[in-house]
């Protein structure tokens, strides 16, 4: 967030107009014209604003009960403000009326208008001062400017509603992204190689939660079959038989595997149902693993649902319980909150702030072409602090940035990067676009302060969840996100030298590097280290012991002096067909392990 609260202005009176559905607040002090005021309406479950039926106020407008409303509001003949990129707008009216602006906490305008306009008299003018990291453009969504002579520049202060990013490159639109190039020792400062590792005892799982501690891997949740079905009845799409209800501890040095069912951990089923679900959002910080949401059939009710839980897990304690066959009581803390009711999103931290990025809420059976009737995309980047005291778990300082067009996506790749010299996150890809049902191309860049924006670059490879790592080259301050296979708009064939695109998003074996330069420009490279088959979708990456990384997971390239094992890729979906949709035998869960080796050039 780029704002901080000032002095609170007490509310002296509240008047409700039932006919208009409007509440008028009388304040202790008059508001200053042209000054922005921060407004918050509490939507916290149990304690916040609720309707007469007890339903908690949906303050963040995500079609899910609960959520605080935050906004910055101002009205006057003149207003000045900065948007998320630091571009400063100055807007004024003359000849009658006043400007009204409602902004999100990240600075961007949510709604703009002019009240009390005098037809033929009111004139709207303004200018933008470009910020150091800005683009010189401040968008002004509005419902219209009736009676106003609008003299704002269409280039720097465009009047518009929410709009999607530019068209898909190579598919009828203008190709605004540079064409990917083949990686060589001259254009990349490293090479990557893959080696298959024999671990026949590890289970075949896709979309699990994964963590590591003391040289061992912890894996739970996910599914044991391949790509889900699209059957109209729903039950065939996610058969409960293939839910992974076990916890696995894997020693990659020896290939030894320990396992235990969640039902044998001593934890109540009310806690373990969500932990056994698929497509949970998760990240690890030290010995603590945080997991949110997920989708599965609840064994106690037999209904399919997206869970509303946040779990805090002591990784070493849960591993010890599995290895020793002992109780896991005390290893897991859990709370419920409708804002966690997300599956298919991603989660990561920058500093002490957690980011729950996009995803959707699916209730009931997944039913193919009519699935949209049962799901609600979050279309948000939610962020909060996780607070733990003793056995208590809670969140505070919650906020959300919403974009119902560009953030309406799921199952992409949330990768750590360094942007402008600071830790940041990039969300690459995601599915499915509302117009064509394809993959998203424009990355979302998220800063540590909660600022987020849609990047103009248009991504070619790995639109769907795939294992990835990010290397940082301190010499030119570039971030190199390496993506391993999965499902992709584009595929590069080294035997023919052809780059092909398929809006049907086929499985691919490409290994690519998406390089983001210090100036914010991007370029993708096709690496010669292709996967030996159509692997990667919903697989997981485990860092090798001893690999140094920044707090957000970015790996400094300068630590490598020769060929170095940086980690391992495990599990996911393996397909025998590039387009396996509807082919139940074409894809399966994988137990293949690949060693990832980076060699500096």
């Amino acid at each position: 967030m780029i704002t901080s609260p000032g002095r609170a202005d007490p509310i002296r009176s509240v008047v409700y107009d039932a006919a208009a559905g409007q509440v008028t607040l009388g304040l202790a002090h008059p508001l200053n014209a042209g000054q922005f005021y921060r407004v918050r309406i509490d939507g916290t479950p149990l304690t916040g604003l609720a309707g007469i039926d007890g339903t908690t106020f949906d303050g963040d407008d995500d079609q899910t009960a609960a959520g605080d409303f935050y906004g910055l509001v101002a009205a006057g003949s003149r207003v000045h403000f900065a948007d998320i990129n630091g571009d400063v707008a100055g807007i004024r009216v003359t000849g009658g009326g006043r400007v009204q602006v409602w902004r999100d906490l990240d600075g961007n305008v949510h709604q703009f208008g002019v009240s009390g306009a005098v037809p033929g008299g009111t004139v709207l003018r303004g200018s933008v001062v470009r910020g150091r990291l800005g683009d010189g453009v401040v968008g002004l969504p509005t419902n219209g400017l009736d009676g106003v002579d609008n003299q704002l520049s269409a280039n720097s202060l465009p009047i518009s509603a929410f709009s999607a990013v530019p068209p898909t490159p190579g598919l009828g639109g203008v190709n605004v992204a540079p064409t990917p190039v083949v990686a060589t020792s001259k254009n990349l400062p490293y090479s990557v190689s893959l080696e298959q590792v024999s671990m026949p005892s590890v289970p075949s799982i896709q979309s699990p939660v994964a963590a590591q501690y003391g040289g061992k891997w912890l894996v739970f949740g996910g599914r044991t079959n391949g790509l889900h079905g699209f059957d109209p009845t729903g039950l065939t799409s996610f058969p409960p038989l293939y839910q992974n209800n076990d916890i696995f501890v894997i020693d990659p040095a020896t290939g030894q595997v320990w396992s235990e069912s969640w039902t044998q951990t001593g934890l109540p089923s009310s806690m373990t149902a969500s932990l056994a679900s698929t497509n949970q959002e998760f990240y690890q910080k030290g010995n603590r693993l945080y997991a949110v949401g997920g989708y599965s059939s609840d064994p106690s009710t037999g209904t399919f649902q997206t869970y509303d839980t946040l779990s805090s897990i002591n990784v070493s304690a849960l591993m010890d319980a599995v290895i020793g066959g002992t109780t896991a009581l005390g290893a897991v803390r859990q709370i419920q909150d409708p804002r966690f009711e997300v599956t298919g999103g991603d989660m990561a931290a920058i500093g002490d702030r957690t980011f729950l990025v996009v995803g959707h809420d699916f209730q009931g059976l997944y039913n193919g072409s009519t699935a949209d009737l049962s799901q609600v995309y979050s279309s948000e980047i939610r962020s909060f602090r996780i607070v733990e005291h003793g056995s208590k778990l809670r969140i505070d300082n919650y906020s959300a940035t919403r974009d119902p067009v560009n953030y309406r996506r799921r199952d992409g790749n949330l990768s750590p990067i360094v942007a402008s010299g600071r830790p940041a996150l990039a969300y690459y890809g995601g599915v499915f676009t509302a117009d064509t049902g394809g993959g998203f191309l424009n990355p979302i860049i998220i800063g540590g302060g909660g600022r987020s924006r849609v990047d103009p670059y248009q991504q070619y490879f790995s639109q769907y969840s795939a294992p990835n790592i990010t290397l940082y080259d301190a010499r030119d301050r570039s971030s190199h996100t390496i993506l391993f296979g999965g499902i992709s708009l584009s595929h590069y064939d080294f035997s023919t030298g052809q780059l092909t695109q398929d809006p049907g998003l086929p499985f691919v074996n490409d290994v690519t590097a998406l390089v983001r330069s210090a100036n914010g420009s991007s370029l993708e490279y096709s690496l010669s280290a292709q996967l030996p088959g159509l692997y990667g979708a919903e697989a997981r990456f485990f860092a090798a012991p001893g690999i140094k990384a920044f707090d957000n997971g970015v790996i400094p390239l300068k630590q490598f002096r020769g060929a170095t094992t940086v980690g391992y890729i495990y599990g996911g979906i393996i397909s025998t067909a590039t387009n396996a949709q509807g082919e139940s035998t074409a894809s399966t869960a994988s137990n293949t392990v690949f060693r990832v080796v980076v060699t500096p050039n």
Side-chain angles (χ1 to χ4, degrees):
M1 294 185 295
I2 61 174
T3 64
S4 58
R7 184 191 68 178
D9 198 337
I11 298 173
R12 297 302 190 198
S13 64
V14 179
V15 179
Y16 175 58
D17 183 339
Q22 178 174 295
V23 175
T24 301
L25 306 179
L27 305 180
H29 307 97
L31 302 182
N32 296 324
Q35 178 176 323
F36 278 92
Y37 290 86
R38 181 174 177 173
V39 178
R40 174 179 179 262
I41 303 175
D42 187 357
T44 304
L46 303 179
T47 61
L49 183 67
I52 58 175
D53 63 350
T55 301
T56 306
F57 173 63
D58 179 16
D60 49 7
D61 192 28
D62 63 354
Q63 304 178 53
T64 303
D68 296 342
F69 169 83
Y70 284 99
L72 303 169
V73 296
S77 60
R78 296 173 179 266
V79 293
H80 288 80
F81 61 89
D83 72 358
I84 193 171
N85 297 320
D87 297 315
V88 179
I91 305 172
R92 67 186 186 278
V93 293
T94 57
R98 60 179 182 173
V99 176
Q100 294 182 324
V101 184
W102 166 17
R103 298 159 61 211
D104 294 321
L105 290 187
D106 61 14
N108 283 344
V109 176
H110 189 93
Q111 190 66 51
F112 171 84
V114 176
S115 65
V118 178
T122 300
V123 179
L124 182 64
R125 298 183 176 89
S127 61
V128 172
V129 176
R130 182 170 181 169
R132 184 173 65 88
L133 300 177
D135 56 8
V137 178
V138 176
L140 301 174
T142 181
N143 289 329
L145 294 172
D146 294 340
V148 176
D149 179 6
N150 176 25
Q151 296 188 15
L152 297 178
S153 168
N155 294 324
S156 61
L157 285 163
I159 299 292
S160 65
F162 283 115
S163 59
V165 288
T168 302
L171 297 178
V174 178
N175 189 346
V176 299
T179 302
V181 299
V182 175
T184 69
S185 59
K186 295 182 179 180
N187 57 28
L188 280 186
Y190 57 87
S191 60
V192 175
S193 60
L194 298 172
E195 304 169 7
Q196 188 166 335
V197 179
S198 177
M199 291 191 197
S201 298
V202 299
S204 299
I205 301 178
Q206 55 108 339
S207 307
V209 175
Q212 57 190 114
Y213 190 85
K216 296 182 177 67
W217 303 344
L218 175 69
V219 178
F220 60 83
R223 297 187 60 79
T224 61
N225 61 341
L227 178 68
H228 64 75
F230 299 86
D231 191 89
T233 64
L235 191 61
T236 306
S237 298
F238 282 85
L241 173 66
Y242 297 111
Q243 290 180 196
N244 172 36
N245 296 307
D246 295 326
I247 314 163
F248 296 94
V249 176
I250 301 169
D251 186 342
T254 64
Q256 186 174 0
V257 179
W258 299 264
S259 66
E260 186 172 38
S261 169
W262 280 111
T263 60
Q264 302 300 311
T265 59
L267 296 168
S269 60
S270 59
M271 294 182 70
T272 61
S274 64
L275 294 170
S277 66
T278 190
N279 286 92
Q280 298 172 56
E281 297 83 13
F282 65 93
Y283 75 92
Q284 183 178 356
K285 190 170 186 178
N287 190 34
R288 215 75 204 174
L289 170 66
Y290 298 102
V292 157
Y295 174 79
S296 73
S297 174
D298 187 332
S300 64
T301 64
T303 59
F304 282 80
Q305 66 181 85
T306 296
Y307 297 91
D308 62 354
T309 55
L310 165 65
S311 301
S312 172
I313 300 166
N314 183 316
V315 177
S316 61
L318 184 57
M319 282 183 164
D320 289 343
V322 174
I323 293 173
T326 58
T327 178
L329 284 172
V332 182
R333 302 168 185 158
Q334 197 173 81
I335 58 174
Q336 292 178 285
D337 188 311
R339 294 170 292 188
F340 300 141
E341 201 167 285
V342 179
T343 186
D346 279 284
M347 195 162 72
I350 303 177
D352 66 352
R353 193 157 189 84
T354 296
F355 292 86
L356 178 57
V357 180
V358 302
H360 65 148
D361 179 0
F362 199 99
Q363 300 296 333
L365 295 168
Y366 188 85
N367 46 8
S369 61
T370 60
D372 281 342
L373 301 177
S374 307
Q375 70 180 329
V376 176
Y377 283 81
S378 82
S379 302
E380 289 185 344
I381 297 172
R382 301 171 181 176
S383 64
F384 45 87
R385 289 180 62 248
I386 297 176
V387 182
E388 298 188 76
H389 291 296
S391 61
K392 302 296 184 182
L393 174 66
R394 64 181 176 87
I395 67 167
D396 67 12
N397 199 19
Y398 176 90
S399 67
T401 302
R402 182 171 176 79
D403 184 335
V405 174
N406 298 306
Y407 294 0
R408 184 194 174 278
R409 56 176 102 178
R410 58 181 170 88
D411 296 309
N413 297 286
L414 185 63
S415 307
I417 61 171
V418 176
S420 302
R422 297 180 179 179
L425 299 168
Y427 187 85
Y428 292 121
V431 295
F432 290 98
T433 57
D435 53 351
T436 66
F440 283 84
L441 306 181
N442 296 79
I444 303 170
I445 307 301
I446 306 166
R451 298 177 177 178
S452 60
R453 64 181 180 85
V454 178
D455 192 87
Y457 182 77
Q458 296 191 337
Q459 175 186 345
Y460 283 82
F461 297 99
S462 297
Q463 271 68 31
Y464 197 82
S465 177
N468 62 85
I469 60 173
T470 298
L471 307 176
Y472 179 68
D473 189 350
R475 293 170 297 182
D476 60 4
R477 298 180 298 159
S478 58
S479 291
H480 300 241
T481 300
I482 303 172
L483 298 124
F484 298 90
I487 296 173
S488 181
L489 169 70
S490 299
H491 166 65
Y492 182 77
D493 189 330
F494 277 86
S495 65
T496 64
Q498 295 296 311
L499 177 72
T500 59
Q501 293 182 313
D502 183 347
L505 297 174
F507 287 92
V508 298
N509 66 341
D510 296 84
V511 177
T512 60
L514 200 163
V515 180
R516 182 177 171 82
S517 300
N519 65 4
S521 63
S522 296
L523 177 62
E524 286 171 270
Y525 295 80
S526 292
L527 307 184
S528 59
Q530 293 181 309
L531 289 157
L534 302 177
Y535 292 92
E538 298 289 4
R540 298 295 180 247
F541 177 82
F542 294 90
I547 294 298
K548 298 177 181 178
F550 299 137
D551 287 344
N552 70 336
V554 172
I555 301 171
L557 184 61
K558 67 179 182 181
Q559 69 183 290
F560 303 132
R561 294 292 180 266
T564 304
T565 299
V566 296
Y568 301 85
I569 295 169
Y570 161 66
I573 298 173
I574 169 65
S575 179
T576 57
T578 55
N579 295 95
Q581 188 175 32
E583 299 177 40
S584 59
T585 61
S587 68
T588 60
S590 170
N591 71 342
T592 305
V593 178
F594 296 98
R595 178 183 288 110
V596 180
V597 177
V598 173
T599 304
N601 291 328

